[in-house]
Amino acid sequence: DQTVQGELDLTTWHLRDHPVVKYRVGDVVRVTTRPCRCGEDTPRLTFVERTHEGFILAGMKLRYQTVLDALNRVAGDLSLLAITLSDLPESEGHTLMRINLPDRLAPLEGELLDVLKYEIFELDDLYQFGLVRFQLAFHAGETFDGRKARRVTDRRRYLGDEPSEDGEESSPEPTPGVS
């Protein structure tokens, strides 16, 4: 019995004239050869998560679920959040991670920020070295429709703090409420 997990690529050699080779589907899946309880002994494929629900900060890959699980230690029953990544001038930090949450969590803002800054191993060092800053935004519950919500949006341009050709800064202005 063997179980493996990874990103799913498809190859269609049976389409001889136009095969698709190593097409990335965008899903992380688990494949197991362990026999099913029903007696079926062919390998089974199980969906784990979408790869676009992960993101990279300063070379470290983070998962949406890691952030959700950590915030749930304070929030308790948080089932959905939206993460938006954008550039900041290097003097303020490399990336702004804005997290949209239901407004019922607004009273917990300080505790939620502490979780992001100090309790998620991958984010702790990035925050301490000024590579990421956090901003929480609270919205009415009905704006969180799980069917249409994009869990991670990356708006970074990966531009430095260099002035553009017209002499203006290429990075956005300092953002109020950034921690």
Side-chain angles (χ1 to χ4, degrees):
D1 297 345
Q2 185 179 15
T3 301
V4 294
Q5 181 173 312
E7 188 173 345
L8 179 64
D9 294 345
L10 295 178
T11 300
T12 58
W13 291 121
H14 68 281
L15 301 174
R16 294 181 191 267
D17 293 335
H18 300 287
V20 175
V21 180
K22 290 189 177 182
Y23 177 78
R24 289 212 155 156
V25 175
D27 291 338
V28 174
V29 296
R30 185 175 299 123
V31 179
T32 185
T33 59
R34 189 174 331 120
C36 179
R37 286 181 268 158
C38 69
E40 180 64 42
D41 63 352
T42 58
R44 289 179 321 287
L45 182 121
T46 308
F47 171 81
V48 176
E49 68 181 349
R50 298 287 301 162
T51 57
H52 70 267
E53 291 176 2
F55 53 96
I56 296 175
L57 286 175
M60 282 201 283
K61 187 165 186 174
L62 287 104
R63 294 177 50 239
Y64 168 87
Q65 194 64 45
T66 300
V67 177
L68 181 64
D69 290 346
L71 293 177
N72 259 321
R73 290 190 288 247
V74 172
D77 62 345
L78 183 61
S79 61
L80 182 66
L81 56 89
I83 300 171
T84 303
L85 304 169
S86 57
D87 290 322
L88 283 174
E90 288 193 31
S91 60
E92 289 189 31
H94 179 70
T95 300
L96 171 65
M97 180 187 286
R98 179 185 169 118
I99 300 182
N100 295 307
L101 298 162
D103 58 0
R104 65 181 170 76
L105 299 177
L108 302 173
E109 182 173 11
E111 295 171 69
L112 293 167
L113 282 169
D114 284 347
V115 167
L116 293 168
K117 293 176 186 176
Y118 309 116
E119 295 184 27
I120 300 174
F121 175 77
E122 296 89 345
L123 290 177
D124 182 11
D125 284 343
L126 297 179
Y127 175 75
Q128 298 303 326
F129 289 110
L131 298 173
V132 66
R133 293 290 176 250
F134 305 105
Q135 181 181 49
L136 301 181
F138 300 95
H139 303 280
E142 61 271 3
T143 61
F144 284 94
D145 181 359
R147 292 172 293 134
K148 299 196 181 207
R150 184 169 183 133
R151 295 177 180 195
V152 178
T153 303
D154 194 340
R155 294 189 174 142
R156 295 175 290 178
R157 292 177 159 206
Y158 304 100
L159 299 175
D161 213 7
E162 302 294 320
S164 61
E165 290 180 21
D166 59 4
E168 294 184 21
E169 293 287 319
S170 59
S171 299
E173 290 298 313
T175 308
V178 175
S179 176

